[in-house]
Amino acid sequence: MNATSTVTIQSIQGFTGTISLAVQVISGIGIIFNPNRVNVPVGATVTSTITVEASKNASIGTYNIIVTGTAASGRKVLSSSALLTATVTSQADFGVYAYPYSIIVVAGFTNSTSIVLDGKNGFNGSVTLSATVPFGFLGVMGGQNPVKLTPGATTNTGLLVSTTTSTVLGKYNITITGSSGTVSHSCVLTVNVVDPSPESLTLLGISNKLSNSLTLSLRNNGNTPTTLQSYSVTDTSRDVWTLANWTGPTVSPGSTSSAVILIGSACNTCAYNGITGLFQQFLIGHTYLIAVTTKLNSQFTFTVIF
C-alpha cells in the first residue's frame, strides 16, 4: 500500500535554481517524487508530491524519513532537509474458509457446507463470492452474496452442491474465491460423489399407540436420504387401509425419524379395502402388517403387534 504527502520548497535570500530531491534508503520502503527535480524562481514557492510505498515485507512500525533537497550555487552545494514520519500498519484483510471443507454427495442428491468469512485488521466492506466448478454435472448455489463484513466480525453463508445421476463418481475440487477491490482469497472445497446404495430402513420400535394411530421409529442404514410417500396397514383378515399420497418424513443417512401411521376416522384421505366396518381401529394384542413405500419406490414391510 502507499500514501502521499507534499514537499514544499521555498526560495529565500534571492535563491533561484534547480533543486534535486532525495531520501536515504530504507529496507521495505520505496519513495517516489513527482517531480524529483524542481525549478525554483526568486522568491517563489514550489511543491513536489512524495509517494511512500510499503512493500509486503516491510516491518510494521514508524519510520523517520529525511527528505533532502540539494542545489549547486556557483562553487557551493546548498542543501536543506525536512523530516517525514511514515507509519506502516497491517493491511485490512479478510479470510475465506469452507466448513466443513470436505463433503460427501450421493449421486442424484445434494449436500451443503458453509463458507465462513472473517475480517482482519479492521476490515470493513463487502466480499463478493464466486465458485470455480469442474465439469462433471456438478452444480452450486450460494446464499447471501456479496457478504458484508464489519471490523472484527465473522459471518457465513451457505453453499449447496447438487449432483445428477449422470455425475461421474469420484472427488472434485471446487475453488471458492472471495474478492473485495484488489484483494482476493480462495479456499478449496472437496466434494466426494458416491454411488447411492440400496435404501435400507429398519424399525426400531413403535410408540404413541392410539385406537386410530401409532408412531413408527425408523432408522436409515443406507447412504441415501429416504423420503416416504405412501403406506398400507393390513390386519390378519387382509383388510387394508392405504394412504397413497402421504407426506411422510425424509430420513437422513444414519439417522432416525418418526413416521405417524393413521387409519379409520383419523385418516380422511386413506382408502379402505376389506369387509365393511371390520377393521376400523387398532386392537390391543393384534398383529398388523405395515408397508411403507419410498420416493424411489423401495418398499419396506414391518410386522407390528399393537
Side-chain angles (χ1 to χ4, degrees):
M1 300 295 290
N2 58 63
T4 61
S5 185
T6 300
V7 179
T8 301
I9 303 98
Q10 182 180 12
S11 167
I12 59 176
Q13 297 179 357
F15 173 84
T16 182
T18 300
I19 304 293
S20 297
L21 299 172
V23 297
Q24 79 275 26
V25 177
I26 301 176
S27 177
I29 303 295
I31 305 294
I32 300 174
F33 292 100
N34 184 25
N36 64 350
R37 291 170 59 87
V38 294
N39 292 316
V40 183
V42 175
T45 298
V46 297
T47 61
S48 174
T49 299
I50 180 172
T51 301
V52 181
E53 297 180 337
S55 66
K56 291 183 178 180
N57 62 353
S59 299
I60 305 301
T62 299
Y63 295 82
N64 291 324
I65 301 172
I66 306 298
V67 180
T68 301
T70 59
S73 177
R75 295 182 178 181
K76 295 181 180 180
V77 175
L78 304 178
S79 68
S80 181
S81 299
L83 175 65
L84 171 64
T85 300
T87 301
V88 178
T89 60
S90 299
Q91 180 180 355
D93 204 352
F94 61 89
V96 180
Y97 316 93
Y99 183 80
Y101 60 86
S102 179
I103 60 174
I104 296 174
V105 185
V106 178
F109 292 86
T110 62
N111 200 355
S112 63
T113 189
S114 292
I115 305 302
V116 180
L117 299 99
D118 67 331
K120 301 176 181 179
N121 303 325
F123 180 87
N124 186 14
S126 295
V127 178
T128 300
L129 296 170
S130 61
T132 302
V133 184
F135 177 77
F137 299 99
L138 282 177
V140 297
M141 180 178 295
Q144 177 188 356
N145 193 21
V147 178
K148 173 67 176 177
L149 275 178
T150 54
T154 297
T155 188
N156 64 78
T157 184
L159 183 71
L160 185 71
V161 180
S162 61
T163 63
T164 72
T165 54
S166 299
T167 303
V168 178
L169 306 182
K171 289 188 177 181
Y172 299 84
N173 287 331
I174 296 177
T175 301
I176 312 300
T177 302
S179 301
S180 180
T182 60
V183 180
S184 66
H185 296 287
S186 299
C187 65
V188 174
L189 169 66
T190 300
V191 177
N192 188 15
V193 181
V194 299
D195 193 18
S197 63
E199 292 183 301
S200 175
L201 285 180
T202 55
L203 176 64
L204 299 184
I206 61 173
S207 60
N208 302 325
K209 295 185 288 184
L210 301 173
S211 61
N212 295 114
S213 70
L214 56 81
T215 300
L216 304 178
S217 178
L218 300 175
R219 180 171 179 80
N220 184 349
N221 299 309
N223 69 356
T224 304
T226 299
T227 300
L228 306 181
Q229 66 175 10
S230 68
Y231 68 78
S232 66
V233 183
T234 306
D235 66 3
T236 54
S237 299
R238 297 185 182 277
D239 304 300
V240 183
W241 284 99
T242 302
L243 180 56
N245 297 309
W246 182 30
T247 306
T250 295
V251 190
S252 300
S255 68
T256 301
S257 290
S258 297
V260 178
I261 305 296
L262 305 175
I263 65 168
S265 60
C267 185
N268 295 328
T269 55
C270 287
Y272 178 68
N273 184 17
I275 299 174
T276 303
L278 182 62
F279 179 24
Q280 295 300 310
Q281 61 184 13
F282 294 114
L283 300 176
I284 295 176
H286 284 227
T287 300
Y288 302 94
L289 207 62
I290 300 178
V292 296
T293 303
T294 71
K295 190 175 181 180
L296 298 180
N297 293 317
S298 299
Q299 188 176 81
F300 299 91
T301 303
F302 309 110
T303 300
V304 173
I305 299 176
F306 195 78

